[in-house]
Short mmCIF file of all heavy atoms in Angstrom, two decimals:
data_model
loop_
_atom_site.label_atom_id
_atom_site.label_comp_id
_atom_site.label_asym_id
_atom_site.label_seq_id
_atom_site.Cartn_x
_atom_site.Cartn_y
_atom_site.Cartn_z
N CYS A 1 146.92 124.24 125.82
CA CYS A 1 148.08 123.36 125.67
C CYS A 1 149.33 124.17 125.36
O CYS A 1 150.35 123.61 125.01
CB CYS A 1 147.81 122.30 124.62
SG CYS A 1 147.60 122.91 122.96
N GLY A 2 149.25 125.46 125.50
CA GLY A 2 150.41 126.29 125.22
C GLY A 2 150.17 127.71 125.68
O GLY A 2 149.30 127.97 126.50
N TRP A 3 150.93 128.61 125.15
CA TRP A 3 150.80 130.02 125.48
C TRP A 3 150.55 130.79 124.20
O TRP A 3 150.93 130.35 123.11
CB TRP A 3 152.10 130.55 126.11
CG TRP A 3 152.36 130.02 127.47
CD1 TRP A 3 152.05 130.64 128.66
CD2 TRP A 3 153.00 128.80 127.84
NE1 TRP A 3 152.46 129.87 129.71
CE2 TRP A 3 153.04 128.73 129.25
CE3 TRP A 3 153.53 127.73 127.12
CZ2 TRP A 3 153.59 127.67 129.94
CZ3 TRP A 3 154.07 126.67 127.79
CH2 TRP A 3 154.10 126.64 129.20
N TRP A 4 149.93 131.95 124.33
CA TRP A 4 149.70 132.82 123.18
C TRP A 4 150.24 134.20 123.51
O TRP A 4 149.94 134.75 124.56
CB TRP A 4 148.21 132.92 122.86
CG TRP A 4 147.95 133.93 121.77
CD1 TRP A 4 147.49 135.20 121.93
CD2 TRP A 4 148.16 133.75 120.38
NE1 TRP A 4 147.40 135.83 120.71
CE2 TRP A 4 147.80 134.96 119.74
CE3 TRP A 4 148.63 132.70 119.61
CZ2 TRP A 4 147.90 135.12 118.37
CZ3 TRP A 4 148.72 132.88 118.24
CH2 TRP A 4 148.35 134.08 117.63
N VAL A 5 151.04 134.71 122.59
CA VAL A 5 151.57 136.06 122.71
C VAL A 5 151.30 136.76 121.39
O VAL A 5 151.62 136.23 120.32
CB VAL A 5 153.09 136.05 123.01
CG1 VAL A 5 153.64 137.46 123.08
CG2 VAL A 5 153.40 135.28 124.28
N GLU A 6 150.69 137.92 121.47
CA GLU A 6 150.41 138.68 120.26
C GLU A 6 151.72 139.05 119.56
O GLU A 6 152.71 139.39 120.23
CB GLU A 6 149.65 139.98 120.62
CG GLU A 6 148.24 139.77 121.11
CD GLU A 6 147.28 139.35 120.00
OE1 GLU A 6 147.56 139.62 118.81
OE2 GLU A 6 146.25 138.77 120.34
N PRO A 7 151.73 139.00 118.24
CA PRO A 7 152.93 139.43 117.51
C PRO A 7 153.33 140.85 117.91
O PRO A 7 152.49 141.74 118.01
CB PRO A 7 152.50 139.37 116.04
CG PRO A 7 151.38 138.37 116.03
CD PRO A 7 150.68 138.54 117.34
N GLY A 8 154.58 141.04 118.19
CA GLY A 8 155.10 142.35 118.57
C GLY A 8 154.99 142.67 120.05
O GLY A 8 155.49 143.70 120.50
N ASP A 9 154.37 141.79 120.83
CA ASP A 9 154.20 142.03 122.27
C ASP A 9 155.44 141.54 123.02
O ASP A 9 155.47 140.43 123.55
CB ASP A 9 152.94 141.31 122.77
CG ASP A 9 152.66 141.56 124.24
OD1 ASP A 9 153.43 142.30 124.90
OD2 ASP A 9 151.66 141.00 124.74
N VAL A 10 156.43 142.38 123.07
CA VAL A 10 157.71 142.02 123.70
C VAL A 10 157.53 141.78 125.19
O VAL A 10 158.06 140.80 125.74
CB VAL A 10 158.78 143.11 123.44
CG1 VAL A 10 160.07 142.78 124.15
CG2 VAL A 10 159.01 143.28 121.95
N VAL A 11 156.77 142.62 125.85
CA VAL A 11 156.53 142.46 127.29
C VAL A 11 155.78 141.15 127.56
O VAL A 11 156.12 140.39 128.46
CB VAL A 11 155.75 143.67 127.87
CG1 VAL A 11 155.36 143.43 129.31
CG2 VAL A 11 156.58 144.94 127.74
N GLY A 12 154.77 140.87 126.75
CA GLY A 12 154.03 139.62 126.90
C GLY A 12 154.91 138.41 126.68
O GLY A 12 154.80 137.41 127.39
N LEU A 13 155.81 138.48 125.70
CA LEU A 13 156.74 137.38 125.46
C LEU A 13 157.67 137.19 126.65
O LEU A 13 157.91 136.06 127.09
CB LEU A 13 157.55 137.63 124.18
CG LEU A 13 158.58 136.56 123.83
CD1 LEU A 13 157.91 135.20 123.63
CD2 LEU A 13 159.36 136.98 122.59
N GLU A 14 158.17 138.29 127.17
CA GLU A 14 159.05 138.21 128.35
C GLU A 14 158.31 137.58 129.52
O GLU A 14 158.86 136.70 130.21
CB GLU A 14 159.54 139.60 128.73
CG GLU A 14 160.45 139.60 129.94
CD GLU A 14 160.87 141.00 130.36
OE1 GLU A 14 160.53 141.98 129.68
OE2 GLU A 14 161.55 141.10 131.40
N GLN A 15 157.08 137.99 129.76
CA GLN A 15 156.29 137.43 130.86
C GLN A 15 156.03 135.94 130.65
O GLN A 15 156.09 135.15 131.60
CB GLN A 15 154.96 138.18 131.00
CG GLN A 15 155.12 139.58 131.51
CD GLN A 15 153.82 140.38 131.43
OE1 GLN A 15 152.88 140.04 130.70
NE2 GLN A 15 153.76 141.47 132.20
N THR A 16 155.76 135.55 129.43
CA THR A 16 155.51 134.15 129.11
C THR A 16 156.75 133.31 129.35
O THR A 16 156.67 132.23 129.96
CB THR A 16 155.02 134.01 127.66
OG1 THR A 16 153.81 134.75 127.50
CG2 THR A 16 154.79 132.56 127.30
N ILE A 17 157.89 133.78 128.88
CA ILE A 17 159.14 133.05 129.09
C ILE A 17 159.44 132.93 130.59
O ILE A 17 159.84 131.86 131.07
CB ILE A 17 160.31 133.72 128.33
CG1 ILE A 17 160.09 133.57 126.82
CG2 ILE A 17 161.65 133.12 128.75
CD1 ILE A 17 161.03 134.38 125.97
N ARG A 18 159.21 133.99 131.31
CA ARG A 18 159.42 133.97 132.77
C ARG A 18 158.50 132.93 133.42
O ARG A 18 158.92 132.18 134.29
CB ARG A 18 159.17 135.36 133.34
CG ARG A 18 159.80 135.56 134.69
CD ARG A 18 159.83 137.01 135.11
NE ARG A 18 161.07 137.59 134.57
CZ ARG A 18 161.19 138.82 134.12
NH1 ARG A 18 160.18 139.63 134.12
NH2 ARG A 18 162.34 139.25 133.67
N GLU A 19 157.22 132.90 133.01
CA GLU A 19 156.28 131.92 133.56
C GLU A 19 156.73 130.49 133.26
O GLU A 19 156.66 129.62 134.13
CB GLU A 19 154.88 132.14 132.98
CG GLU A 19 153.86 131.14 133.51
CD GLU A 19 152.49 131.28 132.87
OE1 GLU A 19 152.23 132.27 132.16
OE2 GLU A 19 151.67 130.37 133.08
N ILE A 20 157.20 130.25 132.06
CA ILE A 20 157.67 128.92 131.68
C ILE A 20 158.84 128.50 132.56
O ILE A 20 158.89 127.38 133.08
CB ILE A 20 158.05 128.87 130.18
CG1 ILE A 20 156.79 129.02 129.33
CG2 ILE A 20 158.81 127.60 129.85
CD1 ILE A 20 157.06 129.28 127.86
N ILE A 21 159.78 129.41 132.77
CA ILE A 21 160.96 129.11 133.58
C ILE A 21 160.59 128.91 135.05
O ILE A 21 161.09 127.99 135.70
CB ILE A 21 162.00 130.25 133.45
CG1 ILE A 21 162.58 130.26 132.03
CG2 ILE A 21 163.12 130.10 134.48
CD1 ILE A 21 163.39 131.49 131.70
N GLU A 22 159.69 129.74 135.55
CA GLU A 22 159.38 129.73 136.98
C GLU A 22 158.32 128.70 137.37
O GLU A 22 158.13 128.45 138.56
CB GLU A 22 158.93 131.13 137.42
CG GLU A 22 160.05 132.15 137.33
CD GLU A 22 159.60 133.58 137.61
OE1 GLU A 22 158.37 133.81 137.78
OE2 GLU A 22 160.47 134.47 137.64
N SER A 23 157.64 128.11 136.41
CA SER A 23 156.57 127.17 136.74
C SER A 23 156.71 125.88 135.93
O SER A 23 155.96 125.64 134.97
CB SER A 23 155.21 127.80 136.49
OG SER A 23 154.19 126.90 136.86
N PRO A 24 157.65 125.01 136.32
CA PRO A 24 157.83 123.76 135.57
C PRO A 24 156.58 122.86 135.62
O PRO A 24 156.33 122.11 134.69
CB PRO A 24 159.02 123.10 136.24
CG PRO A 24 159.23 123.81 137.53
CD PRO A 24 158.61 125.15 137.40
N THR A 25 155.78 122.99 136.68
CA THR A 25 154.55 122.20 136.76
C THR A 25 153.57 122.60 135.65
O THR A 25 153.01 121.74 134.97
CB THR A 25 153.88 122.36 138.14
OG1 THR A 25 154.80 121.94 139.13
CG2 THR A 25 152.61 121.55 138.23
N THR A 26 153.40 123.90 135.46
CA THR A 26 152.53 124.39 134.39
C THR A 26 153.07 123.94 133.04
O THR A 26 152.30 123.52 132.16
CB THR A 26 152.41 125.92 134.43
OG1 THR A 26 151.85 126.29 135.69
CG2 THR A 26 151.52 126.45 133.33
N LEU A 27 154.37 124.03 132.85
CA LEU A 27 154.99 123.60 131.60
C LEU A 27 154.67 122.13 131.33
O LEU A 27 154.23 121.78 130.23
CB LEU A 27 156.50 123.82 131.64
CG LEU A 27 157.28 123.30 130.44
CD1 LEU A 27 156.83 123.97 129.16
CD2 LEU A 27 158.77 123.50 130.67
N ARG A 28 154.87 121.27 132.32
CA ARG A 28 154.60 119.83 132.14
C ARG A 28 153.11 119.58 131.83
O ARG A 28 152.78 118.75 130.98
CB ARG A 28 155.04 119.04 133.35
CG ARG A 28 156.55 118.87 133.42
CD ARG A 28 156.97 117.86 134.48
NE ARG A 28 156.59 118.28 135.82
CZ ARG A 28 157.29 119.08 136.60
NH1 ARG A 28 158.44 119.57 136.17
NH2 ARG A 28 156.88 119.41 137.82
N GLN A 29 152.22 120.31 132.51
CA GLN A 29 150.79 120.14 132.25
C GLN A 29 150.44 120.52 130.82
O GLN A 29 149.70 119.80 130.13
CB GLN A 29 149.98 121.00 133.22
CG GLN A 29 150.00 120.49 134.64
CD GLN A 29 149.37 121.50 135.62
OE1 GLN A 29 149.22 122.68 135.32
NE2 GLN A 29 149.01 121.00 136.80
N ARG A 30 150.98 121.62 130.36
CA ARG A 30 150.68 122.06 129.00
C ARG A 30 151.33 121.16 127.96
O ARG A 30 150.75 120.93 126.90
CB ARG A 30 151.09 123.52 128.82
CG ARG A 30 150.19 124.42 129.64
CD ARG A 30 150.42 125.87 129.40
NE ARG A 30 149.58 126.67 130.30
CZ ARG A 30 149.44 127.95 130.22
NH1 ARG A 30 150.08 128.64 129.30
NH2 ARG A 30 148.67 128.59 131.07
N GLN A 31 152.51 120.64 128.26
CA GLN A 31 153.13 119.68 127.35
C GLN A 31 152.26 118.44 127.21
O GLN A 31 152.04 117.94 126.11
CB GLN A 31 154.52 119.28 127.85
CG GLN A 31 155.57 120.34 127.66
CD GLN A 31 156.89 119.97 128.33
OE1 GLN A 31 156.92 119.28 129.35
NE2 GLN A 31 157.98 120.42 127.74
N ALA A 32 151.76 117.94 128.34
CA ALA A 32 150.92 116.75 128.32
C ALA A 32 149.64 117.00 127.52
O ALA A 32 149.21 116.15 126.73
CB ALA A 32 150.57 116.32 129.74
N LYS A 33 149.04 118.17 127.70
CA LYS A 33 147.83 118.50 126.94
C LYS A 33 148.12 118.61 125.46
O LYS A 33 147.31 118.19 124.62
CB LYS A 33 147.22 119.80 127.46
CG LYS A 33 146.56 119.66 128.81
CD LYS A 33 145.97 120.98 129.27
CE LYS A 33 145.35 120.85 130.65
NZ LYS A 33 144.77 122.12 131.10
N ALA A 34 149.26 119.17 125.10
CA ALA A 34 149.64 119.31 123.70
C ALA A 34 149.85 117.93 123.06
O ALA A 34 149.40 117.68 121.94
CB ALA A 34 150.90 120.16 123.56
N ILE A 35 150.51 117.04 123.78
CA ILE A 35 150.74 115.69 123.27
C ILE A 35 149.41 114.96 123.10
O ILE A 35 149.17 114.31 122.08
CB ILE A 35 151.69 114.91 124.20
CG1 ILE A 35 153.09 115.50 124.11
CG2 ILE A 35 151.70 113.42 123.88
CD1 ILE A 35 154.05 115.03 125.18
N GLN A 36 148.53 115.09 124.08
CA GLN A 36 147.21 114.45 124.00
C GLN A 36 146.43 114.99 122.81
O GLN A 36 145.83 114.23 122.04
CB GLN A 36 146.43 114.68 125.29
CG GLN A 36 145.05 114.06 125.28
CD GLN A 36 144.27 114.35 126.55
OE1 GLN A 36 144.76 115.00 127.47
NE2 GLN A 36 143.05 113.87 126.61
N PHE A 37 146.42 116.30 122.65
CA PHE A 37 145.70 116.92 121.53
C PHE A 37 146.25 116.42 120.20
O PHE A 37 145.48 116.05 119.30
CB PHE A 37 145.79 118.44 121.59
CG PHE A 37 145.08 119.12 120.46
CD1 PHE A 37 143.73 119.38 120.54
CD2 PHE A 37 145.76 119.49 119.31
CE1 PHE A 37 143.05 120.00 119.49
CE2 PHE A 37 145.10 120.10 118.26
CZ PHE A 37 143.74 120.36 118.35
N ALA A 38 147.56 116.40 120.06
CA ALA A 38 148.18 115.95 118.81
C ALA A 38 147.82 114.50 118.53
O ALA A 38 147.49 114.14 117.39
CB ALA A 38 149.69 116.14 118.88
N HIS A 39 147.89 113.66 119.56
CA HIS A 39 147.57 112.25 119.37
C HIS A 39 146.11 112.06 118.95
O HIS A 39 145.82 111.30 118.03
CB HIS A 39 147.86 111.47 120.67
CG HIS A 39 147.51 110.03 120.58
ND1 HIS A 39 148.23 109.13 119.84
CD2 HIS A 39 146.48 109.32 121.12
CE1 HIS A 39 147.67 107.94 119.93
NE2 HIS A 39 146.60 108.03 120.71
N GLU A 40 145.21 112.76 119.63
CA GLU A 40 143.78 112.62 119.35
C GLU A 40 143.37 113.19 118.00
O GLU A 40 142.41 112.73 117.39
CB GLU A 40 142.95 113.28 120.44
CG GLU A 40 143.03 112.55 121.77
CD GLU A 40 142.34 113.30 122.90
OE1 GLU A 40 141.85 114.43 122.69
OE2 GLU A 40 142.31 112.74 124.02
N ASN A 41 144.09 114.20 117.52
CA ASN A 41 143.68 114.87 116.30
C ASN A 41 144.56 114.61 115.10
O ASN A 41 144.13 114.78 113.96
CB ASN A 41 143.60 116.38 116.55
CG ASN A 41 142.49 116.72 117.52
OD1 ASN A 41 141.34 116.78 117.14
ND2 ASN A 41 142.82 116.89 118.78
N PHE A 42 145.80 114.20 115.34
CA PHE A 42 146.73 114.03 114.22
C PHE A 42 147.47 112.70 114.25
O PHE A 42 148.37 112.48 113.45
CB PHE A 42 147.76 115.17 114.23
CG PHE A 42 147.13 116.53 114.22
CD1 PHE A 42 147.22 117.35 115.32
CD2 PHE A 42 146.43 116.99 113.11
CE1 PHE A 42 146.63 118.62 115.32
CE2 PHE A 42 145.84 118.25 113.11
CZ PHE A 42 145.95 119.06 114.22
N GLY A 43 147.10 111.81 115.18
CA GLY A 43 147.78 110.51 115.30
C GLY A 43 147.42 109.57 114.17
O GLY A 43 146.56 109.85 113.32
N GLN A 44 148.05 108.42 114.15
CA GLN A 44 147.85 107.43 113.09
C GLN A 44 146.39 106.98 113.01
O GLN A 44 145.86 106.79 111.92
CB GLN A 44 148.77 106.22 113.33
CG GLN A 44 150.23 106.52 113.14
CD GLN A 44 150.56 106.88 111.70
OE1 GLN A 44 150.02 106.30 110.77
NE2 GLN A 44 151.43 107.84 111.51
N GLU A 45 145.74 106.81 114.16
CA GLU A 45 144.34 106.37 114.15
C GLU A 45 143.46 107.40 113.45
O GLU A 45 142.59 107.05 112.64
CB GLU A 45 143.86 106.14 115.58
CG GLU A 45 142.45 105.59 115.64
CD GLU A 45 142.01 105.29 117.07
OE1 GLU A 45 142.86 105.18 117.97
OE2 GLU A 45 140.79 105.20 117.26
N GLN A 46 143.67 108.67 113.76
CA GLN A 46 142.88 109.73 113.13
C GLN A 46 143.17 109.81 111.63
O GLN A 46 142.27 110.01 110.82
CB GLN A 46 143.14 111.07 113.80
CG GLN A 46 142.69 111.12 115.24
CD GLN A 46 141.23 110.74 115.40
OE1 GLN A 46 140.38 111.18 114.64
NE2 GLN A 46 140.94 109.91 116.37
N LEU A 47 144.44 109.66 111.28
CA LEU A 47 144.81 109.68 109.87
C LEU A 47 144.14 108.53 109.13
O LEU A 47 143.60 108.71 108.03
CB LEU A 47 146.34 109.59 109.74
CG LEU A 47 146.90 109.60 108.33
CD1 LEU A 47 146.52 110.88 107.60
CD2 LEU A 47 148.41 109.44 108.37
N ALA A 48 144.14 107.34 109.73
CA ALA A 48 143.50 106.18 109.10
C ALA A 48 142.01 106.42 108.91
O ALA A 48 141.44 106.11 107.85
CB ALA A 48 143.74 104.93 109.93
N LYS A 49 141.35 107.00 109.92
CA LYS A 49 139.92 107.30 109.81
C LYS A 49 139.65 108.27 108.66
O LYS A 49 138.66 108.13 107.92
CB LYS A 49 139.38 107.88 111.11
CG LYS A 49 139.27 106.85 112.22
CD LYS A 49 138.79 107.51 113.52
CE LYS A 49 138.73 106.52 114.66
NZ LYS A 49 138.30 107.16 115.91
N LYS A 50 140.52 109.24 108.50
CA LYS A 50 140.34 110.21 107.42
C LYS A 50 140.50 109.55 106.05
O LYS A 50 139.75 109.84 105.11
CB LYS A 50 141.31 111.39 107.58
CG LYS A 50 140.93 112.28 108.75
CD LYS A 50 141.90 113.41 108.94
CE LYS A 50 141.52 114.22 110.17
NZ LYS A 50 142.42 115.32 110.42
N TRP A 51 141.48 108.65 105.93
CA TRP A 51 141.66 107.93 104.67
C TRP A 51 140.45 107.05 104.38
O TRP A 51 139.97 107.01 103.25
CB TRP A 51 142.94 107.09 104.72
CG TRP A 51 144.17 107.87 104.38
CD1 TRP A 51 145.16 108.24 105.23
CD2 TRP A 51 144.55 108.38 103.09
NE1 TRP A 51 146.12 108.96 104.55
CE2 TRP A 51 145.77 109.05 103.24
CE3 TRP A 51 143.96 108.33 101.83
CZ2 TRP A 51 146.42 109.66 102.18
CZ3 TRP A 51 144.62 108.94 100.77
CH2 TRP A 51 145.83 109.60 100.96
N ILE A 52 139.95 106.35 105.39
CA ILE A 52 138.77 105.50 105.20
C ILE A 52 137.59 106.34 104.75
O ILE A 52 136.87 105.96 103.81
CB ILE A 52 138.46 104.72 106.50
CG1 ILE A 52 139.52 103.64 106.72
CG2 ILE A 52 137.07 104.10 106.44
CD1 ILE A 52 139.46 102.98 108.09
N SER A 53 137.38 107.48 105.40
CA SER A 53 136.29 108.36 105.00
C SER A 53 136.43 108.82 103.56
O SER A 53 135.45 108.86 102.80
CB SER A 53 136.22 109.59 105.91
OG SER A 53 135.86 109.22 107.21
N LEU A 54 137.63 109.13 103.16
CA LEU A 54 137.87 109.55 101.78
C LEU A 54 137.55 108.43 100.82
O LEU A 54 136.84 108.63 99.82
CB LEU A 54 139.33 110.00 101.60
CG LEU A 54 139.74 110.32 100.16
CD1 LEU A 54 138.94 111.52 99.63
CD2 LEU A 54 141.23 110.58 100.08
N PHE A 55 138.05 107.22 101.10
CA PHE A 55 137.78 106.08 100.21
C PHE A 55 136.29 105.78 100.14
O PHE A 55 135.77 105.49 99.06
CB PHE A 55 138.55 104.84 100.68
CG PHE A 55 140.04 104.96 100.51
CD1 PHE A 55 140.89 104.43 101.46
CD2 PHE A 55 140.60 105.60 99.42
CE1 PHE A 55 142.26 104.53 101.33
CE2 PHE A 55 141.97 105.71 99.26
CZ PHE A 55 142.81 105.18 100.24
N GLU A 56 135.61 105.87 101.28
CA GLU A 56 134.15 105.63 101.28
C GLU A 56 133.44 106.71 100.48
O GLU A 56 132.50 106.40 99.75
CB GLU A 56 133.64 105.57 102.71
CG GLU A 56 134.08 104.32 103.44
CD GLU A 56 133.69 104.27 104.90
OE1 GLU A 56 133.31 105.33 105.46
OE2 GLU A 56 133.79 103.19 105.49
N ALA A 57 133.87 107.92 100.59
CA ALA A 57 133.26 109.01 99.83
C ALA A 57 133.47 108.82 98.32
O ALA A 57 132.63 109.20 97.51
CB ALA A 57 133.83 110.36 100.27
N LEU A 58 134.59 108.21 97.98
CA LEU A 58 134.88 107.96 96.57
C LEU A 58 134.23 106.68 96.08
O LEU A 58 134.32 106.35 94.89
CB LEU A 58 136.39 107.87 96.36
CG LEU A 58 137.17 109.17 96.61
CD1 LEU A 58 138.66 108.90 96.52
CD2 LEU A 58 136.75 110.24 95.62
N GLY A 59 133.59 105.94 96.99
CA GLY A 59 132.91 104.71 96.60
C GLY A 59 133.81 103.49 96.55
O GLY A 59 133.46 102.47 95.99
N THR A 60 134.98 103.59 97.14
CA THR A 60 135.93 102.47 97.17
C THR A 60 135.61 101.59 98.36
O THR A 60 135.44 102.06 99.47
CB THR A 60 137.38 103.01 97.30
OG1 THR A 60 137.60 103.91 96.24
CG2 THR A 60 138.38 101.87 97.25
N LYS A 61 135.54 100.29 98.12
CA LYS A 61 135.26 99.35 99.20
C LYS A 61 136.51 99.23 100.07
O LYS A 61 137.61 98.97 99.57
CB LYS A 61 134.86 97.99 98.64
CG LYS A 61 134.20 97.10 99.64
CD LYS A 61 133.61 95.90 98.97
CE LYS A 61 132.85 95.09 99.98
NZ LYS A 61 132.26 93.91 99.38
N THR A 62 136.36 99.40 101.41
CA THR A 62 137.52 99.41 102.31
C THR A 62 137.61 98.17 103.17
O THR A 62 138.52 98.05 103.98
CB THR A 62 137.47 100.64 103.25
OG1 THR A 62 136.26 100.58 104.01
CG2 THR A 62 137.56 101.92 102.47
N ASP A 63 136.71 97.21 103.04
CA ASP A 63 136.74 96.05 103.94
C ASP A 63 137.28 94.79 103.27
O ASP A 63 136.92 93.69 103.61
CB ASP A 63 135.34 95.80 104.51
CG ASP A 63 134.29 95.56 103.44
OD1 ASP A 63 134.63 95.71 102.24
OD2 ASP A 63 133.15 95.19 103.78
N GLN A 64 138.16 94.93 102.31
CA GLN A 64 138.74 93.76 101.66
C GLN A 64 140.07 93.41 102.24
O GLN A 64 140.84 94.16 102.66
CB GLN A 64 138.89 94.01 100.16
CG GLN A 64 137.55 94.09 99.50
CD GLN A 64 137.69 94.22 97.98
OE1 GLN A 64 138.79 94.27 97.44
NE2 GLN A 64 136.58 94.26 97.31
#
């Protein structure tokens, strides 16, 4: 869902920036994947599930 460049890799960063500029299709695909990942892992539904799990672990009734 993105690119990885090792810290200090100036050539790699330059190549990555060039790829982003020259390939808008790849950019859009990776943006879509990043949005999907964020929604599936950090969205409101996932946050609610984590809170419910916490309350259940603490013995708090969540169905009232």
